[in-house]
Each structure stands twice: as C-alpha cells, then as structure tokens.
Amino acid sequence: MAEERARGPWGEAWSVFGRNYAALVGLGLLALVAAMVLVGPLVYGVDPFEIVGAPKMGPGIEPDAPFGTDYLGRDVLAGLLKGGRPTLIVGICAALITTIIGITIGSLGGFYGGAVDGALGRVTEFFQVLPALLFAMVLITLFTPSLLTVTLAIGVVAWTGMARLTRAEFLRIKQLEFVRAARSIGASNARIIWRVILPNALPPIIVSATLATGTAILFEAGLSFLGLSDPNVMSWGMMIGSNRNYLREAWWAVTFPGVCIFITVLAISLVGDGLNDAFNPKLRTR
Amino acid sequence: MTRRLSIRAALAASAAVLACFASGVFAQAQNTLVWGTSQAPRHLNPAVQSGIATMMPGAQIFASPLRFDDKWNPQPYLAESWSFQDDGLSLLLKLVPNATFHDGRPVTSEDVAFSIMTIKANHPFSSMLAAVDRVDTPDPRIAVIRMKQPHPAILYALSPPLCPILPKHVYGDGIDPKNHPKNNAPVGSGPYKFVEFKPGEHIILEKNPNFFIKGRPHFDRVIFRIFKDSNALLLALERREVHYVPFWSDLASLDALAKKPGLLITDKGGEAIGPINWLAFNTKRKPFDDARVRQAVSFAVDREFITRKLHAGRTKVATGPIAPGSPFYTGAVETYKVNLERANKLLDDAGLRKGANAMRFAAAVDFLPGNNEQQKNVAEYLKAQLKKIGVDLTVRSSPDFPTWAKRVGGHDFDMTMDSVFNWGDPVIGVHRTYLSSNIRQGVIWSNTQSYSNPKVDDLLARAGVERNLDKRKALYGEFQKIVVAEAPIAFINLLPYYQVYDKSLKNLPTTIWGAAAPIDEMRRE
Amino acid sequence: MGFVGWILRRLAWAAGLLLSVAVLNFSLMHMAPGDIVQTIVGEMGGASEETMAQLTKAYGLDRGFLDQLWIYVSRVAQGDLGYSYYFNRPVLGLILDRVPATVLLVFTALAVAIIAGTFLGVMSARYPASWLGALVTITALFGFSAPVFWSGLMLLLLFASVIPILPASGMYDVAQGATGIAYALDVAHHLVLPALTLAIIYLALYSRLARASMIEVLGSDYVRTARAKGLSENKVVFKHALRNAVLPVVTVAGLQFSAMLAGAVLVETVFTWPGMGQLAFESILRRDNQLILGILLLSAVLVIIGNLLTDLAYRFVDPRIRTDG
C-alpha cells in the first residue's frame, strides 16, 4: 500500500504498462530498431550511395550485399541501416512540431476561452478543412523536397488533432478543485497553465504524440511514394519511392524498407496503446 | 438455420457474379484495339502542340500531306505527288482527289494552306516552317508552298506528327487555335475519327469508313488508355486489358515482358524522333567554363555501365548531337570511353587539385523529372561515379517539371541531365541547342548551356539551307566533331523506342515516326 | 440568439473560411517555382520566347500578383471556379467529372470499414478473452502500421498478377463499353481492390473504437437491466448495445473527409483510379493553379458541410452544447 502511494500516478502507470505484454513487445521492437539505426551504420560501414555491384541482385547471392542491391547496384542493407535515422528523425521532429503547435494553441484556447478560444478555434478549423496530404504537397513543391521541408510540412498540416485534444483536456481540468485552489492563492496564469494544468493533461498528450510519430513516418513514406523526397538523403521512404517501379524484378529493395517502416510504426502503436491503457484508469479497472 | 441458408445463398450468388466478371474480361470485342500509354495529352490537335502524347492520337485523326517509310524516304499521303520548283524555293503538292474530312466536306488546297500557316504561327517548333512565306492555291487540288530561302527540312515538316491538315471550315472561325474548343473534339481526315476524350483517362476513336485509302483502316475502334503507374500498365498488358503499347518507357521490365507468352517486342520504328539522354553543362559557370573540366566529367562516365546495367542492355551509347538513325549522323568523333586516369589528369591540368578530403570541387546535378530510369537514376549514378575523380556531387531534385524548367531555363544550374529530341531534321531539333543566337533566358530546350562558337553557328547556318545531300552531310559531320570535342554536353545514351504488343497484331507502324504516324495498316489476325 | 441566427453565423464563417483557403493557397502556389506555361512548353518539347510570352499573356500571368488574386477571388465569389489552362476546360466540369469516382471509392471503403470494423470490434468486446479479441487488436495494428500504398501494391500483385481474378487498374473497362447493370457490375469489379486497400486503414481505427465503446456500453446500467430481464447475451449485444456503440464510429467517420482524401490520392495513384485525388496531385505538379485551388476549395466545402451536420446533430441531441463559442 505504502509502496503504491510512493510510486505516485506515474509509477502506477508504469507498473500497468509493465504488465501489458503487447506494449512490452512494442518497447522491445522499438529498442531493436533504435539499436539497428544507431549502432548499425557504425558496424556496417558501407556507403549506401556507393554502387557495390550489379543492379537488382537478389538477397543472398552476393556476400557483399546480403540484402541484395537496388536498381543502381547500391547495397540495400547499407540503405536500411543508414536510412533509419532520417526516417526516425523526420517522424520524431514532425511529431514534436505537431505537439508544440497543438499544445500551444489548444492550451491557450482551453484556458482563456471566450474570444481567444474563438479565434484559435478558427485557425484550427482553417487547417482542419485543408486536405492534409495535398496541402503538404503544395508546401513541399514550394520549397523543393528536403528532410527539413518534409518535416516542416508534415508538422504544419498535422497538428489540429493535438490542439483539439489539449483544448478538451484544459477545459476539463480547469474546472477541477486544485486549479481553483491554485488560482485562489494568486498563482499567475502562466504558472497555472504550465505548472498546474499541463502536467495533468500530459498523459493523453503523450499517447497522442507517440501515435503521431508513427503517423508522421507513414506520411513521409507516402510523400516519398509520390516522388516528393530528398534524393541526397537515404531514408526508408525514399528507398520505397525510388524502387517501387522495379517492384516486380527487385522486390527486396521495396519490401525490406517497407518492413522496417511497418515494424517501427507497429512498435510505436503498441507502445502508444500500452501508454493509453496505463494512463486511463477507466480501462484499468476493467 | 435460416441464417445459414441465406449465407449459403449469398455465397452462391457472389460466385455467380464473379464468374460473370471472369468471362467478361475475356469477352472483348475482337475488332477493338486498346492502346496503352503513360502519356496524357492536354488536347488532341498536333498543329499547336508537339509531344508524343498528342501526336499518337493526332496522327490517327488527322492526315498530313506526306508520310515517311522506314528508310527516311517521303511517301504520298494526302499529297499524291510533290515536286520542288524555283531552285528549291517552291514546293508543289498535288492532293488526292477523294479525301474528305470526318464531317463529309472535301479536303482542298485551301485547307492545306490554312493548316500550314496555322502551324507556322502556333507550333512550338518555330524553325520548322520559318522559311515558309505563303501557300498559293491555284487549284482546289494544288497547293504551292513558297519559301524565302531553300529549306530542305520542309519535307519532314509535312509528316503526320508535325503537319495535320485541319478543316478550315472548323478551325478557321477566328478563335485562337491554341485554345480552340475543337482541340478537345477534333475533326480530321485520318483513318480514325474522334468519339470521346476524357482527360487523363482515355480517348475513344472509331473507324473512318470514308478514309481516302480504300480498304483501311482495320479496327472498328481504337481506345487509348492512359496509365499513371507503370506497374498498372504492365499488369494491364499482361492480362490483355491493353493490346498495344508503343514508346515503352520502363526498360527494366522488358526482359520480363519478353518472356510472357503471346507478347512481342520490337525496337523498330520512331528513329526520326531521336531522343538523346545527355548531361549538359552550364558553360558560363566555373569550373565548367573550362572545356577540360567538361571533358574530364565525360571521360569519368562509364556509358557501358549505364546502358548495360542501369538500362538492362536496352539502350545504346550516344556519341554526339545527332541520333544515329539520321542520314546526317557521323560516328567519327571522340568517343569518351571511360578513362578515370585521363579524367584526373585533365582536372589536374585545369588547376583543380584534390583537397584534404580527396575532393577537388563540389557541384550539383539536376535532372528532368518524370522518367527516373533515364534521368534520376543516371544522376544518382553520377553522384557515386564522379566521387572517384574528386567531384563532390549533389543531386538536386525537382519535384516537377516547372521547377526544373525554371532552374535550367533560367541558367541556374551547374549541370543537368536532360533528354532532347531530334524531331526528324536537324534544323527542327538539333540547331536549337548549339546556336549562340538561341541563348535565351527563361526558355527551356534553347541553348541553356550558353555554348557559343562562331564556327558552329556558321556550319549550322549553311547546313540548314544546303540542298545537296552530300554537302549537307559533310557540314553536319564537321559540326558534330567540334561539338563533341568541346563537350558543352556529355552525350550519355540513346533511347530506342520499343513497341510491346499482342502477337495477334500485324503491320505495326515501324516507319521513322513509329506510332506517331497513322496505324491505318495495323490489323489483328 | 435563435437557431436561424446560429445557422447564418455559421454560413458567414464558412464563407470567410473558404475565402482564406483560396487566398492562402493562391499565394502559396504563386510563390512556387515555375508556372503552367513551363509545363505546357515542356509537353510541347520546347517553344520559342515569343510563344512563351504569348501564353503567359493569354493566361493573365503577366499581371501583378494582387491583380491576379483579385480576379480569381472575385470570380470564385460569383461561383466561377475558373479555368484549367492545362486541359483548356472549365475547372468545375473537370472536377465534377472526377468527383463520382472518388466519392464512390471513399464511401465504399468507409462502408466496408464501418461495417466490418464494428462487427469485429463488437465481437471482440463480446468475447473479450477469446482469440477473436487478439485477432482484432492485431489486425487493427497491422492495418494501421502498413503504409497504404504498400498494402495496395501487395494486393495488386496478389490479385491481379499471381491470382488474376481482379482488374489491375481503372474504374471500368472502356473497351467493353458496357451500359446499365453490366456497367455497374464492371465498376464494382474494378472497385474491389482500391476500396479494400483504403478500407484496411479505417478498419483498424473503427474496430478499436467500436471495441472501446462496446466495452463501455456493456458495463452500463440499462444493459444490466436488459440482462436482468433474462434476454440472451446475443440479443443484448446486437439489439441494445450495438446501436450505442455504433454512434461514436459514425461520428468519427463523418469528421474524416480530409484524411480520407489523403488516402485516396495514394490509392488512386496505385490503381489508376480516375478520381479527384489523382487529378489534384498532378495539378500541383503542373502548376495548374485554378484547378488545384478548385479541388482544395471543394474539399473544404465538403469538410465544412460535414462539420456543420455534426454540430447540428449534437445541437439537437444535447441543446446545452454551444459549439459556436
């Protein structure tokens, strides 16, 4: 009993999370992906842009390229190891951007209400009515595709859900007793927003930000599929996008990066679900 | 119990429906030709629009004064005979007596005159008919083209893809021909007539029963289906949802296709279009203003690797500015066989020493978006290959054509991959790239290299008006030698045009214009 | 403020929203490198300076930015969506030509996803500890984690090449020129793969939603009452609880038009489905600005209508909610 209390709500969530096998599998997968992406390129030093052999060699044929070569004769394994970093960076950074914009707009709207909420709600609605993928494409063609523009474009088009979530949480929490208490002892608005409400609104935001990372990775892959990626940076999406015309002759160059994306997003979703269950007391009791 | 029964009934019903579908797929009408293409035309009037997308349907709908065989010889079409007069300053065309437009009105010399002047005023290839002054019509069946100077290219300019004869009573109503509503529902005198055009989806044509060549054409309907994804086009062809694909662009899949039972592939036809895949330098930018640097890059490119490996042995090494199919081609030029030692030495001589990181200088390469195999892949190969001679190359990608055109047309590039077409006579498709008078800011496929050599200008000016074939050949031979040696462009590869078709199809268009010419003889057996 | 006033204010706001969509995107497209003249000249295989100048003038691109913007916006205000210089046709006609294909694709996919997703979700809630529950979770996660174009390509290879029972591309067989019922069947046949591909993503989402809300509903008082009356568990689940569990699914589905259009762009590209998404994608690359703006505006209108209907529904269900702030 005492131990339970000592761990607090976060600790309790963690213990629920720890009993969720699916979430643990997700965490394990994520660790695996991270290890592959961080350590892989150090161990396996082949330049993913270097032409190492004949194009479209199947996996296992040539010991130099165990995962085969792509349409140019570049090593697929090198691409997989080196291409993970940019993919994850785009995913994480885009998710961060959506979270920052979403929290800012949602918290201000939810906290102040009234005219501020009205104005911010309209901004949110404006971005919500634009078809995300098309708007992102407009932005990217405007600045030509690079890691930076793709990340920014995804971040800019995808934050509305986060803003609405944050706003709803703020609306709910600001009615609660401890917020009133904080107000009554004269805490400033900024303090109430940052130190009182936000920490309590964090659990669903963290879940949503986790899932947003997966969505951003898929979004980047979709843009690459349409040819909007940076050819100077090897990423999984870029590998799929540039190899997809050769799917029938060199399936491995499309399949392996596809599997990498799939596993990464799957792991992220599992962890996100686990966090959701852990943070959500309603489901926990059942 | 009842529910289980109804499920079973539902299953049976869906099986029946599926069976219907399966049989429907193979029950296509025998006399319909489905023509697959990855090229979506804007509209269907080749008089004001060049490009294969418009030419393919355009050449079926419209007839032209002349057509060509597979050896570059002009043949009668709407004109049953023709002759040069006044020392080559006039060309007399005598029209066939029985040609009518699809609306029933006869084709007269008035229509020919109207069409030639419309093309001269509106067609993007301004050099094609620039020498034409006017067209006289002394008789409804006689048209005389009057020229300001001898213009040997005029015969090519009267070919099916370049000179559709428009009905004056339809297009001569004063509306701007570039935006004429009938460009989307054209009226011509060719073997097939227009039925329906859904932009980006399909074009439906049907047999012209009154075609002026008796006994032709042979299909009741010709349907162009437009595919945006090459995997989908491939599958449709394998399953015979599509029977015929000329100008096949996805070379990597040809080997697999060749093994499919019932499909045939030919590389015959289309030589006059003459596309050359090349790497162009901005000769105004350092260090590419030094011919030695350009030559070094050219020597570093392994063209055999590109054609054999990247293009699966389906393309050929390019040696110069004129495609080998042309009568004016010469192979007696520097061949730039891959030689890294020589490339390194040239760069040393040019004063570009290797720095600390074994790199001499950094540069960027652009590429024409759209055809990855010919463009992007080669650019990516260059990035890997030029590293070996100490060039730190960045691939600068353009997401779409306007971005690329803006950069290259605006001379804002170091080097760029490009694909440029000969279009029959060198006057039409070759001169534009090398004439110093054609260095124009903002115009794509002009002399964007800013290449300038008075000797070349002079040779081209003389070759353009030379009526003696041998003398003309000699002039172009000299021109090719200089341009290849000075290397404003590193010529990479030629792209033969492959036609993929069902084996039941006979008499494919294998003339120099390939499927950009009428398929009035093509039939199914 | 009465109901009429509320509706009027919503409409005024919607008009303002559309105006800002038009202005923002017009400006963005204007800033993009190159223009439609480059595209057209590119497809012509090159053109002289004079031709380019002529085209630029004919399309009004030689005017100042504000001038062009004003002309465009005032036209749109009069209900004229403008002209596609690429296709030489009015924008409205081009879009209306493509809308049915996209609507058919998206709505079929939605229907499949809602029905199958709800069914799977409900079944897994009904038998929480069974393999079915695990299957739903796994399917849902797999559907969500695989890139949509990727699953599309895989399905395409499987059912159009390895086991060729479904057509590879297009919406109907032009060569057959079928009409009436034969045409409808032909379209249905072509629809299977693209709709399935698109449905997979939403299937994931809806089965999770349905499962969650079903678990919630099954714990509520009136379900307990129903059980206490001695109704069979199947009756309780399908007659009483289901209706309540479907509501959140439908609500979420109604709000997702813009996400669906994104999926549609990719699926239409894989299957050469002649819809609006494909047209939009190509128009961006061609700088066919009035066409792309027309599509964005139309999508915005559809989203706004969807939101309005949702708000309206809530307003009637729960009059305390004042959605207009």
Side-chain angles (χ1 to χ4, degrees):
Chain A
M1 212 31 191
E3 198 190 310
E4 279 280 310
R5 198 176 300 149
R7 283 192 305 194
W10 291 87
E12 196 183 324
W14 174 242
S15 90
V16 173
F17 188 88
R19 275 180 264 130
N20 183 338
Y21 293 119
L24 289 180
V25 168
L27 210 56
L29 284 176
L30 215 51
L32 205 71
V33 171
M36 169 181 148
V37 163
L38 294 176
V39 184
L42 305 177
V43 180
Y44 191 81
V46 180
D47 178 355
F49 281 105
E50 193 189 321
I51 292 164
V52 298
K56 292 183 249 176
M57 268 193 317
I61 294 177
E62 187 75 43
D64 282 352
F67 281 60
T69 59
D70 72 356
Y71 59 98
L72 284 180
R74 301 180 295 196
D75 188 348
V76 171
L77 178 59
L80 291 178
L81 296 175
K82 203 83 179 243
R85 280 190 213 185
T87 306
L88 292 183
I89 288 173
V90 169
I92 293 170
C93 292
L96 268 180
I97 296 175
T98 56
T99 310
I100 291 170
I101 303 181
I103 287 184
T104 312
I105 299 221
S107 61
L108 293 178
F111 182 80
Y112 288 105
V116 176
D117 188 28
L120 291 175
R122 273 154 206 212
V123 174
T124 313
E125 200 178 337
F126 174 74
F127 278 90
Q128 189 223 328
V129 299
L130 284 170
L133 188 69
L134 293 180
F135 189 52
M137 285 171 57
V138 170
L139 290 174
I140 293 170
T141 44
L142 187 56
F143 300 106
T144 75
S146 70
L147 274 195
L148 184 69
T149 55
V150 170
T151 310
L152 288 177
I154 299 175
V156 165
V157 300
W159 56 267
T160 55
M162 187 68 82
R164 271 179 302 171
L165 176 75
T166 312
R167 176 175 173 270
E169 283 296 299
F170 266 67
L171 282 179
R172 183 176 66 82
I173 295 171
K174 81 173 175 187
Q175 312 289 341
L176 298 181
E177 202 55 49
F178 61 90
V179 179
R180 286 191 201 149
R183 223 186 272 272
S184 69
I185 59 166
S188 68
N189 282 342
R191 191 183 164 81
I192 294 179
I193 291 176
W194 286 105
R195 307 298 287 273
V196 180
I197 304 186
L198 190 59
N200 286 286
L202 269 186
I205 291 175
I206 290 174
V207 172
S208 170
T210 312
L211 296 174
T213 312
T215 316
I217 290 176
L218 290 177
F219 207 112
E220 192 260 348
L223 288 169
S224 302
F225 173 77
L226 295 173
L228 298 173
S229 64
D230 185 341
N232 291 297
V233 180
M234 192 62 80
S235 77
W236 292 336
M238 183 266 211
M239 289 173 82
I240 296 184
S242 56
N243 279 292
R244 70 150 168 143
N245 282 335
Y246 312 100
L247 177 66
R248 293 157 62 81
E249 308 107 61
W251 54 266
W252 51 88
V254 188
T255 307
F256 293 140
V259 168
C260 286
I261 290 180
F262 175 67
I263 290 178
T264 309
V265 178
L266 181 66
I268 292 172
S269 318
L270 287 171
V271 170
D273 273 9
L275 288 175
N276 192 33
D277 288 356
F279 286 136
N280 195 337
K282 232 185 194 169
L283 285 173
R284 218 184 303 158
T285 50
R286 224 169 248 130
Chain B
M1 201 58 197
T2 39
R3 192 194 289 162
R4 197 160 291 165
L5 267 181
S6 66
I7 288 175
R8 211 172 277 172
L11 277 178
S14 44
V17 169
L18 271 180
C20 285
F21 286 140
S23 58
V25 168
F26 301 106
Q28 264 163 23
Q30 272 300 300
N31 49 7
T32 296
L33 177 75
V34 182
W35 176 324
T37 175
S38 54
Q39 310 243 358
R42 287 180 60 221
H43 62 74
L44 306 176
N45 185 357
V48 296
Q49 168 93 28
S50 135
I52 288 167
T54 299
M55 288 172 171
M56 289 188 299
Q60 315 313 324
I61 297 165
F62 295 101
S64 56
L66 301 177
R67 61 206 289 185
F68 282 76
D69 65 9
D70 53 0
K71 305 217 164 45
W72 298 75
N73 300 312
Q75 302 290 326
Y77 195 25
L78 269 176
E80 60 181 25
S81 65
W82 62 96
S83 57
F84 279 106
Q85 299 172 337
D86 311 331
D87 288 330
L89 287 174
S90 301
L91 176 63
L92 184 145
L93 302 172
K94 183 156 192 251
L95 302 181
V96 294
N98 59 336
T100 56
F101 287 109
H102 298 151
D103 60 6
R105 305 266 289 261
V107 180
T108 67
S109 56
E110 284 286 327
D111 298 306
V112 173
F114 168 74
S115 303
I116 289 180
M117 296 322 280
T118 302
I119 294 166
K120 178 180 157 73
N122 294 285
H123 197 282
F125 298 164
S126 48
S127 63
M128 189 166 75
L129 295 174
V132 172
D133 185 33
R134 63 178 198 279
V135 181
D136 292 337
T137 54
D139 179 279
R141 282 184 57 202
I142 307 274
V144 185
I145 304 173
R146 307 280 185 197
M147 288 166 280
K148 291 174 263 187
Q149 62 193 45
H151 184 53
I154 186 75
L155 290 180
Y156 295 109
L158 299 178
S159 307
L162 301 174
C163 193
I165 297 306
L166 315 170
K168 188 181 180 185
H169 60 272
V170 174
Y171 292 90
D173 56 4
I175 301 179
D176 176 13
K178 281 199 191 69
N179 300 316
H180 202 285
K182 280 290 179 184
N183 291 352
N184 288 325
V187 180
S189 55
Y192 292 97
K193 50 183 191 178
F194 173 84
V195 177
E196 182 182 75
F197 173 38
K198 283 209 164 193
E201 292 179 52
H202 63 247
I203 305 158
I204 302 179
L205 308 181
E206 67 179 17
K207 186 179 202 159
N208 171 12
N210 302 319
F211 187 49
F212 60 91
I213 303 177
K214 287 296 156 233
R216 300 181 194 170
H218 302 290
F219 295 104
D220 290 334
R221 289 200 304 167
V222 175
I223 296 172
F224 292 80
R225 276 189 61 189
I226 297 153
F227 289 82
K228 279 288 144 203
D229 183 85
S230 62
N231 284 310
L233 176 56
L234 209 68
L235 281 170
L237 187 63
E238 274 177 22
R239 302 167 48 136
R240 300 301 189 283
E241 288 168 23
V242 163
H243 313 120
Y244 174 56
V245 184
F247 301 112
W248 185 270
S249 62
D250 175 18
L251 302 176
S253 59
L254 277 174
D255 282 336
L257 270 178
K259 292 193 196 95
K260 299 279 174 202
L263 278 184
L264 296 175
I265 297 172
T266 175
D267 63 353
K268 291 201 177 65
E271 291 82 5
I273 296 164
I276 305 174
N277 213 34
W278 73 40
L279 175 68
F281 301 97
N282 185 347
T283 65
K284 279 280 170 291
R285 278 233 179 133
K286 280 192 182 317
F288 303 106
D289 55 341
D290 186 334
R292 286 172 298 187
V293 176
R294 308 194 295 259
Q295 289 156 352
V297 171
S298 196
F299 272 118
V301 178
D302 186 352
R303 293 170 178 77
E304 293 288 327
F305 180 87
I306 293 172
T307 55
R308 294 228 181 116
K309 301 292 185 185
L310 295 190
H311 299 157
R314 295 287 185 174
T315 62
K316 299 194 175 81
V317 171
T319 56
I322 296 181
S326 165
F328 304 107
Y329 167 79
T330 174
V333 293
E334 170 65 63
T335 52
Y336 293 102
K337 204 165 157 24
V338 60
N339 189 336
L340 295 180
E341 224 170 281
R342 191 150 168 208
N344 274 312
K345 175 150 191 327
L346 280 164
L347 291 175
D348 284 342
D349 292 350
L352 295 160
R353 304 271 164 199
K354 282 195 180 174
N357 56 352
M359 287 298 164
R360 299 171 191 274
F361 63 94
V365 61
D366 288 277
F367 61 87
L368 175 63
N371 186 341
N372 285 350
E373 209 165 35
Q374 299 295 311
Q375 293 283 312
K376 177 160 160 275
N377 298 2
V378 178
E380 288 178 1
Y381 160 80
L382 290 173
K383 177 185 167 80
Q385 181 71 5
L386 293 192
K387 206 174 168 185
K388 296 179 185 164
I389 59 165
V391 179
D392 182 9
L393 197 63
T394 312
V395 179
R396 196 165 65 147
S397 111
S398 308
D400 46 43
F401 184 82
T403 308
W404 178 81
K406 180 94 183 158
R407 287 168 173 173
V408 176
H411 301 188
D412 168 29
F413 69 105
D414 295 337
M415 29 181 169
T416 181
M417 286 299 303
D418 196 352
S419 187
V420 179
F421 295 19
N422 274 189
W423 293 123
D425 196 280
V427 168
I428 304 173
V430 177
H431 287 209
R432 54 182 173 164
T433 315
Y434 309 94
L435 284 174
S436 63
S437 58
N438 202 29
I439 303 175
R440 293 160 195 270
Q441 191 73 23
V443 182
I444 194 58
W445 294 316
S446 60
N447 183 351
T448 45
Q449 295 67 240
S450 306
Y451 174 67
S452 165
N453 181 339
K455 183 98 193 282
V456 166
D457 289 343
D458 177 55
L459 283 169
L460 291 178
R462 276 157 55 202
V465 297
E466 179 57 61
R467 295 186 60 218
N468 180 305
L469 187 63
D470 288 329
K471 281 189 193 156
R472 205 172 171 219
K473 276 185 184 169
L475 290 168
Y476 278 125
E478 178 80 16
F479 150 77
Q480 289 169 74
K481 218 171 272 177
I482 298 174
V483 162
V484 173
E486 296 196 331
I489 285 165
F491 303 95
I492 307 284
N493 70 280
L494 304 161
L495 175 59
Y497 279 129
Y498 291 91
Q499 311 193 43
V500 185
Y501 58 103
D502 184 87
K503 72 169 192 296
S504 66
L505 297 176
K506 305 290 179 217
N507 299 341
L508 265 72
T510 53
T511 70
I512 58 165
W513 291 111
I519 57 155
D520 53 335
E521 292 179 88
M522 191 160 151
R523 65 196 310 158
R524 179 181 278 121
E525 275 176 12
Chain C
M1 187 62 64
F3 177 70
V4 175
W6 180 79
I7 283 282
L8 284 179
R9 274 194 300 144
R10 286 300 305 228
L11 287 179
W13 160 233
L17 201 59
L18 290 175
L19 181 71
S20 31
V21 167
V23 171
L24 176 79
N25 286 291
F26 190 95
S27 316
L28 287 176
M29 291 304 293
H30 190 84
M31 283 191 282
D35 55 36
I36 181 82
V37 173
Q38 305 275 10
T39 308
I40 290 173
V41 166
E43 303 213 345
M44 285 176 170
S48 65
E49 236 165 329
E50 297 74 41
T51 311
M52 290 179 71
Q54 216 181 347
L55 287 173
T56 308
K57 189 149 190 286
Y59 300 158
L61 299 174
D62 54 341
R63 295 163 187 266
F65 165 66
L66 287 177
D67 224 12
Q68 290 184 42
L69 180 64
W70 172 246
I71 292 172
Y72 178 72
V73 170
S74 49
R75 268 212 209 131
V76 170
Q78 292 161 30
D80 176 6
L81 279 183
Y83 199 73
S84 158
Y85 296 128
Y86 184 83
F87 288 113
N88 258 327
R89 287 168 190 230
V91 162
L92 189 64
L94 282 165
I95 296 180
L96 290 182
D97 247 16
R98 298 297 189 104
V99 165
T102 298
V103 166
L104 180 67
L105 172 64
V106 165
F107 276 74
T108 313
L110 256 186
V112 170
I114 289 177
I115 293 169
T118 312
F119 178 75
L120 285 176
V122 167
M123 289 310 276
S124 73
R126 164 90 174 74
Y127 305 104
S130 71
W131 55 268
L132 198 72
L135 187 75
V136 168
T137 317
I138 292 169
T139 322
L141 286 171
F142 273 60
F144 175 76
S145 307
V148 56
F149 58 87
W150 165 255
S151 27
L153 282 174
M154 292 296 129
L155 287 172
L156 182 71
L157 284 186
L158 186 60
F159 289 110
S161 184
V162 181
I163 321 167
I165 51 168
L166 292 169
S169 56
M171 185 168 140
Y172 58 98
D173 189 346
V174 206
Q176 278 198 43
T179 49
I181 293 180
Y183 172 76
L185 283 176
D186 193 28
V187 170
H189 191 208
H190 282 79
L191 182 61
V192 175
L193 279 182
L196 195 64
T197 308
L198 197 54
I200 288 175
I201 337 172
Y202 299 104
L203 181 69
L205 187 66
Y206 299 147
S207 62
R208 289 164 95 177
L209 257 175
R211 178 163 170 263
S213 60
M214 196 69 189
I215 288 176
E216 192 113 348
V217 173
L218 284 179
S220 65
D221 290 341
Y222 77 93
V223 168
R224 281 199 206 115
T225 318
R227 279 195 189 120
K229 281 199 296 189
L231 291 176
S232 78
E233 188 67 14
N234 270 342
K235 238 187 186 148
V236 170
V237 169
F238 290 104
K239 283 260 152 82
H240 295 267
L242 180 63
R243 200 175 303 164
N244 294 291
V246 167
L247 266 177
V249 173
V250 174
T251 311
V252 168
L255 285 172
Q256 270 187 328
F257 182 80
S258 96
M260 277 184 288
L261 197 69
V265 174
L266 296 167
V267 172
E268 284 172 8
T269 306
V270 171
F271 293 100
T272 321
W273 187 262
M276 219 164 59
Q278 218 194 358
L279 187 69
F281 170 46
E282 287 164 8
S283 307
I284 292 178
L285 299 189
R286 287 176 186 140
R287 305 285 183 280
D288 199 353
N289 292 359
Q290 303 202 4
L291 183 50
I292 178 67
L293 286 168
I295 294 172
L296 286 171
L297 279 176
L298 195 83
S299 319
V301 167
L302 290 173
V303 176
I304 289 172
I305 292 175
N307 290 355
L308 198 67
L309 291 179
T310 317
D311 280 357
L312 215 54
Y314 278 152
R315 213 182 144 89
F316 280 112
V317 172
D318 185 352
R320 280 171 306 171
I321 296 176
R322 285 285 175 271
T323 36
D324 51 345

